[in-house]
Amino acid sequence: MTTKYIRRVFPGLFFIGLLVSFNSCGLFQKKEIAEPVEVIPEPTIKYGLPVDSFYVVESTVGAGQHLSSILSNFGVKLGTIDTIAKNAKPVFDVRKIRQGNNYTLFQTSDSTRKAKYFVYENSPILYTVFELFDSLRVYQGEKEVVFKMKTAHGEIQSSLWNAMKASKLDPMLALKMEEVYAWTIDFFGLQKGDRFRLVYDEIYVDSTSIGINNIYAAQFDYYGKEIFAFRFEKNDSVGYYNEKGENLQKEFLKAPLKFSRISSGFSGGRMHPILRIVRPHHGVDYAAPTGTPVMSIGEGTVISKGWAGGGGNTVKIKHNSVYTTVYMHLSRYADGVNQGGRVRQGQVIGYVGSTGLSTGPHLDFRVYKGGTPVNPLTIESPPAKPVDTKYMPEYTILKDSLLRDLQKIEWKEKLTIESE
């Protein structure tokens, strides 16, 4: 007789009685009880090696340490060290082992603790494996990289940098935002109450963040104006565009250096701090530490490079038939910047200093339009090319999707970060 079992929940004693009754009737058939199966856990793998099979020592390179001094401490003979150093040449120059970088030694798990593998981390992603046996092979590997999509939003109280720092975010996020909005927002002129929200991804290795990858969408409310940015890549070309498909990149950058402050603005009459006379100041002074890189705000030709009296070390660049820019008080010039030579937008042309008539390290930056000085903070620069018409349908779909993601981010007073 074939019996069909149905599992139910019965009150205690009543169920026991039924069980005895059914057994006496032969309704329950005896079944074989399977032996328990031993579950073997998956081995822990690091650098492609089974960690559980070794005695593992993890440390960092100390001051003055090199391959020989490290391996000697673990009983590796000098002859072996010399051979693996030679074998490593096509892969990695062991002289480039740097203080502070991590290394791991894999030893046998028995009492002899014989060194079998030495792994040096060249970077958070790249590592070099030295086999300390047989052929003494040396090879490189890469850790798994994970990209996590995230959102962030916040309100400016003093500066973008301080907002990131106060919220314990990677400062690179501020740098990435500055790159996205370099042509449209003056980050030295942010006001309290400006706010932003964005969608981006962060890079993780071994569950640890190692930096920001890309910003995919952003909204920056700047002096009450909403400025959108959407990342669009086509035919190996990447750019940021607004909701209409217009390019955020302009002919000129908003500022010639990053993250400093304006110490003196454009003025028709200002008391000179050294000469003590009132005279026009036809530029904007950016206070910054000596050595801060100074960039050309646009592509152009260097028409002069040298000493300019009170301006000290100066570079003058002609961008087109209309605009010329001047960079003064430089401590030194960048390599490759010569009179008559071409420079590209964003290229470093010199470094902040205090040469000439100057009370401290700063950049005196000036813009001339048709030979007449104009306020660098108010000039309007024409945009670069928009999204190609034939790609607009594709861009619109992407933009609409990213815009919905942005609009899901609720504004708050303090900057927070959320993982999706």
Side-chain angles (χ1 to χ4, degrees), residues 382-397:
K385 292 181 180 179
V387 174
D388 194 301
T389 304
K390 63 183 177 182
Y391 299 131
M392 272 303 294
E394 182 179 346
Y395 173 74
T396 300
I397 293 172

Side-chain angles (χ1 to χ4, degrees), residues 204-226:
Y204 283 81
V205 173
D206 293 337
S207 300
T208 301
S209 173
I210 64 169
I212 306 300
N213 184 38
N214 292 312
I215 291 177
Y216 294 97
Q219 176 188 342
F220 209 112
D221 289 1
Y222 181 61
Y223 285 80
K225 181 181 179 182
E226 295 181 348

Side-chain angles (χ1 to χ4, degrees), residues 16-276:
I16 294 175
L18 287 175
L19 183 62
V20 172
S21 176
F22 286 161
N23 263 338
S24 63
C25 297
L27 294 178
F28 283 170
Q29 298 178 359
K30 184 177 180 181
K31 296 183 68 176
E32 295 291 334
I33 300 176
E35 292 293 328
V37 178
E38 182 181 359
V39 178
I40 302 176
E42 290 289 329
T44 301
I45 303 297
K46 188 172 184 179
Y47 309 116
L49 302 172
V51 173
D52 301 332
S53 300
F54 297 92
Y55 180 82
V56 177
V57 178
E58 296 179 331
S59 188
T60 57
V61 179
Q65 282 194 315
H66 44 78
L67 183 66
S68 180
S69 60
I70 295 172
L71 293 183
S72 295
N73 291 335
F74 293 99
V76 181
K77 296 180 180 179
L78 291 178
T80 300
I81 296 172
D82 182 62
T83 301
I84 62 173
K86 292 177 181 177
N87 291 350
K89 285 184 177 179
V91 178
F92 173 66
D93 185 350
V94 298
R95 294 173 298 179
K96 293 183 178 180
I97 288 179
R98 295 288 179 260
Q99 178 182 345
N101 282 25
N102 298 325
Y103 70 80
T104 303
L105 196 84
F106 292 79
Q107 299 174 303
T108 56
S109 56
D110 57 24
S111 59
T112 64
R113 295 286 189 265
K114 186 175 181 180
K116 302 296 286 184
Y117 295 92
F118 173 73
V119 182
Y120 171 75
E121 292 192 1
N122 308 67
S123 69
I125 298 175
L126 183 68
Y127 60 85
T128 303
V129 180
F130 299 81
E131 291 185 350
L132 306 177
F133 59 92
D134 296 340
S135 63
L136 305 178
R137 185 167 65 109
V138 179
Y139 59 93
Q140 289 189 324
E142 293 185 3
K143 295 181 181 181
E144 181 183 10
V145 178
V146 177
F147 299 90
K148 295 184 180 181
M149 294 297 295
K150 297 191 173 186
T151 63
H153 58 285
E155 185 173 308
I156 303 300
Q157 299 300 319
S158 56
S159 69
L160 180 62
W161 184 271
N162 287 338
M164 298 293 178
K165 185 177 179 180
S167 301
K168 299 180 180 179
L169 295 176
D170 190 331
M172 281 300 297
L173 188 57
L175 293 175
K176 289 283 188 179
M177 289 187 68
E178 196 276 341
E179 291 173 2
V180 171
Y181 287 110
W183 296 270
T184 51
I185 294 176
D186 180 5
F187 283 90
F188 308 124
L190 295 179
Q191 64 175 358
K192 186 175 181 179
D194 288 344
R195 59 183 188 174
F196 66 89
R197 51 186 176 184
L198 61 150
V199 178
Y200 68 101
D201 61 354
E202 198 163 351
I203 310 169
Y204 283 81
V205 173
D206 293 337
S207 300
T208 301
S209 173
I210 64 169
I212 306 300
N213 184 38
N214 292 312
I215 291 177
Y216 294 97
Q219 176 188 342
F220 209 112
D221 289 1
Y222 181 61
Y223 285 80
K225 181 181 179 182
E226 295 181 348
I227 305 176
F228 289 94
F230 302 99
R231 187 178 187 272
F232 185 60
E233 181 175 358
K234 198 68 181 178
N235 299 332
D236 297 325
S237 177
V238 179
Y240 286 91
Y241 304 85
N242 65 14
E243 66 275 21
K244 299 178 181 178
E246 297 168 341
N247 203 323
L248 263 64
Q249 182 173 338
K250 302 289 182 67
E251 188 174 344
F252 298 133
L253 297 174
K254 269 292 187 180
L257 70 173
K258 297 181 179 180
F259 297 106
S260 101
R261 63 182 178 84
I262 295 175
S263 55
S264 183
F266 188 91
S267 173
R270 182 194 71 161
M271 176 66 73
H272 194 280
I274 295 179
L275 299 178
R276 308 308 300 171

